[in-house]
Short mmCIF file of all heavy atoms in Angstrom, two decimals:
data_model
loop_
_atom_site.label_atom_id
_atom_site.label_comp_id
_atom_site.label_asym_id
_atom_site.label_seq_id
_atom_site.Cartn_x
_atom_site.Cartn_y
_atom_site.Cartn_z
N ASP A 1 81.97 -12.88 187.14
CA ASP A 1 81.89 -13.11 185.70
C ASP A 1 83.09 -12.47 185.02
O ASP A 1 83.76 -11.60 185.59
CB ASP A 1 80.56 -12.60 185.10
CG ASP A 1 80.43 -11.09 185.15
OD1 ASP A 1 81.45 -10.38 185.28
OD2 ASP A 1 79.29 -10.59 185.05
N CYS A 2 83.37 -12.93 183.80
CA CYS A 2 84.52 -12.44 183.05
C CYS A 2 84.12 -12.12 181.62
O CYS A 2 83.26 -12.80 181.04
CB CYS A 2 85.65 -13.48 183.03
SG CYS A 2 86.35 -13.88 184.65
N LYS A 3 84.77 -11.11 181.06
CA LYS A 3 84.51 -10.73 179.68
C LYS A 3 85.75 -10.06 179.11
O LYS A 3 86.68 -9.70 179.85
CB LYS A 3 83.32 -9.77 179.60
CG LYS A 3 83.55 -8.46 180.34
CD LYS A 3 82.32 -7.55 180.26
CE LYS A 3 82.57 -6.23 180.99
NZ LYS A 3 81.37 -5.35 180.94
N VAL A 4 85.77 -9.92 177.78
CA VAL A 4 86.85 -9.18 177.15
C VAL A 4 86.72 -7.71 177.54
O VAL A 4 85.67 -7.10 177.36
CB VAL A 4 86.82 -9.34 175.62
CG1 VAL A 4 87.84 -8.43 174.96
CG2 VAL A 4 87.08 -10.79 175.24
N GLN A 5 87.78 -7.16 178.10
CA GLN A 5 87.71 -5.80 178.61
C GLN A 5 87.62 -4.77 177.49
O GLN A 5 86.91 -3.78 177.59
CB GLN A 5 88.93 -5.53 179.50
CG GLN A 5 88.83 -4.25 180.31
CD GLN A 5 89.61 -3.11 179.69
OE1 GLN A 5 90.52 -3.32 178.89
NE2 GLN A 5 89.26 -1.88 180.05
N LYS A 6 88.34 -5.02 176.42
CA LYS A 6 88.32 -4.10 175.28
C LYS A 6 88.81 -4.85 174.06
O LYS A 6 89.88 -5.45 174.08
CB LYS A 6 89.22 -2.89 175.56
CG LYS A 6 89.16 -1.80 174.49
CD LYS A 6 90.04 -0.63 174.87
CE LYS A 6 89.96 0.49 173.83
NZ LYS A 6 90.82 1.65 174.18
N GLY A 7 88.02 -4.82 173.00
CA GLY A 7 88.42 -5.51 171.78
C GLY A 7 87.37 -6.50 171.32
O GLY A 7 86.18 -6.34 171.58
N ASN A 8 87.83 -7.54 170.66
CA ASN A 8 86.94 -8.54 170.05
C ASN A 8 86.42 -9.51 171.11
O ASN A 8 87.19 -10.29 171.67
CB ASN A 8 87.70 -9.30 168.96
CG ASN A 8 86.79 -10.13 168.10
OD1 ASN A 8 85.72 -10.55 168.52
ND2 ASN A 8 87.20 -10.37 166.85
N GLU A 9 85.13 -9.46 171.38
CA GLU A 9 84.55 -10.30 172.42
C GLU A 9 84.66 -11.78 172.10
O GLU A 9 84.64 -12.63 173.00
CB GLU A 9 83.08 -9.92 172.65
CG GLU A 9 82.90 -8.52 173.21
CD GLU A 9 81.44 -8.19 173.47
OE1 GLU A 9 80.58 -9.07 173.23
OE2 GLU A 9 81.16 -7.05 173.92
N SER A 10 84.77 -12.13 170.81
CA SER A 10 84.86 -13.54 170.42
C SER A 10 86.20 -14.17 170.78
O SER A 10 86.36 -15.39 170.67
CB SER A 10 84.61 -13.69 168.91
OG SER A 10 85.67 -13.09 168.16
N HIS A 11 87.16 -13.36 171.23
CA HIS A 11 88.45 -13.91 171.63
C HIS A 11 88.37 -14.67 172.95
O HIS A 11 89.28 -15.43 173.28
CB HIS A 11 89.48 -12.78 171.74
CG HIS A 11 89.95 -12.29 170.41
ND1 HIS A 11 90.83 -11.23 170.28
CD2 HIS A 11 89.67 -12.68 169.15
CE1 HIS A 11 91.06 -11.00 168.99
NE2 HIS A 11 90.36 -11.88 168.29
N LEU A 12 87.30 -14.46 173.70
CA LEU A 12 87.07 -15.22 174.93
C LEU A 12 85.76 -15.98 174.76
O LEU A 12 84.67 -15.44 174.93
CB LEU A 12 86.99 -14.28 176.14
CG LEU A 12 86.73 -14.94 177.51
CD1 LEU A 12 87.83 -15.92 177.85
CD2 LEU A 12 86.59 -13.87 178.59
N ARG A 13 85.88 -17.26 174.43
CA ARG A 13 84.70 -18.02 174.03
C ARG A 13 84.12 -18.89 175.15
O ARG A 13 82.96 -19.26 175.10
CB ARG A 13 85.05 -18.89 172.83
CG ARG A 13 85.28 -18.09 171.55
CD ARG A 13 85.62 -18.99 170.38
NE ARG A 13 86.98 -19.50 170.45
CZ ARG A 13 88.02 -18.89 169.89
NH1 ARG A 13 87.88 -17.76 169.23
NH2 ARG A 13 89.24 -19.42 169.99
N SER A 14 84.94 -19.21 176.15
CA SER A 14 84.42 -20.10 177.19
C SER A 14 85.23 -19.95 178.48
O SER A 14 86.46 -19.95 178.45
CB SER A 14 84.48 -21.56 176.71
OG SER A 14 84.01 -22.43 177.71
N VAL A 15 84.51 -19.82 179.60
CA VAL A 15 85.13 -19.78 180.93
C VAL A 15 84.29 -20.64 181.86
O VAL A 15 83.06 -20.49 181.92
CB VAL A 15 85.21 -18.35 181.50
CG1 VAL A 15 86.02 -18.36 182.80
CG2 VAL A 15 85.80 -17.38 180.50
N ASP A 16 84.94 -21.54 182.58
CA ASP A 16 84.26 -22.33 183.61
C ASP A 16 84.66 -21.77 184.98
O ASP A 16 85.80 -21.35 185.18
CB ASP A 16 84.66 -23.81 183.53
CG ASP A 16 84.19 -24.45 182.23
OD1 ASP A 16 83.15 -24.01 181.69
OD2 ASP A 16 84.85 -25.40 181.77
N PHE A 17 83.70 -21.79 185.90
CA PHE A 17 83.94 -21.25 187.24
C PHE A 17 83.77 -22.35 188.29
O PHE A 17 82.85 -23.16 188.22
CB PHE A 17 82.96 -20.10 187.53
CG PHE A 17 83.12 -18.91 186.63
CD1 PHE A 17 82.36 -18.79 185.47
CD2 PHE A 17 84.01 -17.90 186.95
CE1 PHE A 17 82.50 -17.69 184.64
CE2 PHE A 17 84.16 -16.79 186.13
CZ PHE A 17 83.40 -16.69 184.97
N TYR A 18 84.66 -22.34 189.28
CA TYR A 18 84.58 -23.26 190.42
C TYR A 18 84.83 -22.46 191.70
O TYR A 18 85.59 -21.49 191.67
CB TYR A 18 85.63 -24.37 190.30
CG TYR A 18 85.63 -25.09 188.98
CD1 TYR A 18 86.61 -24.82 188.02
CD2 TYR A 18 84.65 -26.04 188.68
CE1 TYR A 18 86.63 -25.49 186.80
CE2 TYR A 18 84.67 -26.71 187.46
CZ TYR A 18 85.65 -26.43 186.54
OH TYR A 18 85.66 -27.09 185.32
N PRO A 19 84.26 -22.90 192.84
CA PRO A 19 83.28 -23.97 192.97
C PRO A 19 81.90 -23.54 192.48
O PRO A 19 81.60 -22.35 192.37
CB PRO A 19 83.26 -24.24 194.48
CG PRO A 19 83.64 -22.94 195.10
CD PRO A 19 84.60 -22.30 194.14
N GLY A 20 81.08 -24.53 192.21
CA GLY A 20 79.71 -24.27 191.76
C GLY A 20 79.69 -23.40 190.52
O GLY A 20 80.37 -23.65 189.54
N ASN A 21 78.93 -22.35 190.60
CA ASN A 21 78.81 -21.42 189.47
C ASN A 21 79.63 -20.16 189.69
O ASN A 21 79.31 -19.11 189.14
CB ASN A 21 77.34 -21.07 189.23
CG ASN A 21 76.67 -20.52 190.47
OD1 ASN A 21 77.27 -20.50 191.54
ND2 ASN A 21 75.43 -20.08 190.35
N GLY A 22 80.67 -20.26 190.50
CA GLY A 22 81.56 -19.11 190.69
C GLY A 22 81.06 -18.11 191.71
O GLY A 22 80.96 -16.92 191.41
N THR A 23 80.75 -18.57 192.91
CA THR A 23 80.27 -17.68 193.97
C THR A 23 81.11 -17.84 195.22
O THR A 23 81.74 -18.88 195.45
CB THR A 23 78.79 -17.97 194.31
OG1 THR A 23 78.66 -19.34 194.73
CG2 THR A 23 77.89 -17.70 193.12
N PHE A 24 81.11 -16.80 196.04
CA PHE A 24 81.76 -16.82 197.36
C PHE A 24 80.68 -17.14 198.39
O PHE A 24 79.81 -16.30 198.66
CB PHE A 24 82.41 -15.47 197.66
CG PHE A 24 83.58 -15.14 196.79
CD1 PHE A 24 83.41 -14.42 195.61
CD2 PHE A 24 84.86 -15.57 197.12
CE1 PHE A 24 84.49 -14.11 194.80
CE2 PHE A 24 85.95 -15.26 196.31
CZ PHE A 24 85.76 -14.53 195.15
N ASP A 25 80.73 -18.33 198.96
CA ASP A 25 79.69 -18.74 199.91
C ASP A 25 79.70 -17.83 201.13
O ASP A 25 80.75 -17.40 201.61
CB ASP A 25 79.92 -20.19 200.34
CG ASP A 25 78.67 -20.80 200.96
OD1 ASP A 25 78.33 -20.43 202.10
OD2 ASP A 25 78.01 -21.62 200.28
N LEU A 26 78.51 -17.58 201.66
CA LEU A 26 78.36 -16.67 202.80
C LEU A 26 79.04 -17.20 204.06
O LEU A 26 79.40 -16.42 204.96
CB LEU A 26 76.87 -16.44 203.09
CG LEU A 26 76.03 -15.85 201.96
CD1 LEU A 26 74.58 -15.69 202.42
CD2 LEU A 26 76.58 -14.50 201.50
N MET A 27 79.23 -18.52 204.16
CA MET A 27 79.73 -19.08 205.43
C MET A 27 81.16 -18.66 205.75
O MET A 27 81.61 -18.81 206.88
CB MET A 27 79.64 -20.61 205.39
CG MET A 27 80.53 -21.28 204.38
SD MET A 27 80.31 -23.09 204.45
CE MET A 27 81.37 -23.61 203.09
N TYR A 28 81.87 -18.10 204.77
CA TYR A 28 83.25 -17.66 205.02
C TYR A 28 83.31 -16.23 205.57
O TYR A 28 84.41 -15.69 205.73
CB TYR A 28 84.07 -17.77 203.74
CG TYR A 28 84.14 -19.19 203.22
CD1 TYR A 28 83.40 -19.59 202.11
CD2 TYR A 28 84.91 -20.14 203.87
CE1 TYR A 28 83.45 -20.89 201.65
CE2 TYR A 28 84.97 -21.46 203.42
CZ TYR A 28 84.22 -21.82 202.30
OH TYR A 28 84.27 -23.12 201.86
N TYR A 29 82.18 -15.66 205.85
CA TYR A 29 82.10 -14.28 206.33
C TYR A 29 81.23 -14.21 207.57
O TYR A 29 80.32 -15.02 207.74
CB TYR A 29 81.54 -13.37 205.21
CG TYR A 29 82.32 -13.47 203.93
CD1 TYR A 29 81.90 -14.31 202.89
CD2 TYR A 29 83.51 -12.77 203.76
CE1 TYR A 29 82.63 -14.43 201.73
CE2 TYR A 29 84.25 -12.89 202.58
CZ TYR A 29 83.79 -13.72 201.57
OH TYR A 29 84.53 -13.84 200.42
N PRO A 30 81.48 -13.22 208.46
CA PRO A 30 82.51 -12.19 208.35
C PRO A 30 83.89 -12.68 208.79
O PRO A 30 84.02 -13.71 209.44
CB PRO A 30 82.00 -11.10 209.30
CG PRO A 30 81.24 -11.88 210.35
CD PRO A 30 80.61 -13.02 209.62
#
């Protein structure tokens, strides 16, 4: 997930993540 690190949170209004909902699939590990 992503957020404004410090300051006005409204400066970051939308982020899309790929693939899916922004996860690291287990099959790439170990």
Side-chain angles (χ1 to χ4, degrees):
D1 67 20
C2 297
K3 62 182 181 181
V4 173
Q5 191 260 339
K6 186 178 181 180
N8 192 333
E9 294 182 2
S10 67
H11 285 177
L12 179 61
R13 290 180 285 268
S14 179
V15 187
D16 295 331
F17 296 93
Y18 308 104
N21 55 354
T23 58
F24 293 92
D25 198 288
L26 301 180
M27 65 181 176
Y28 299 105
Y29 305 97

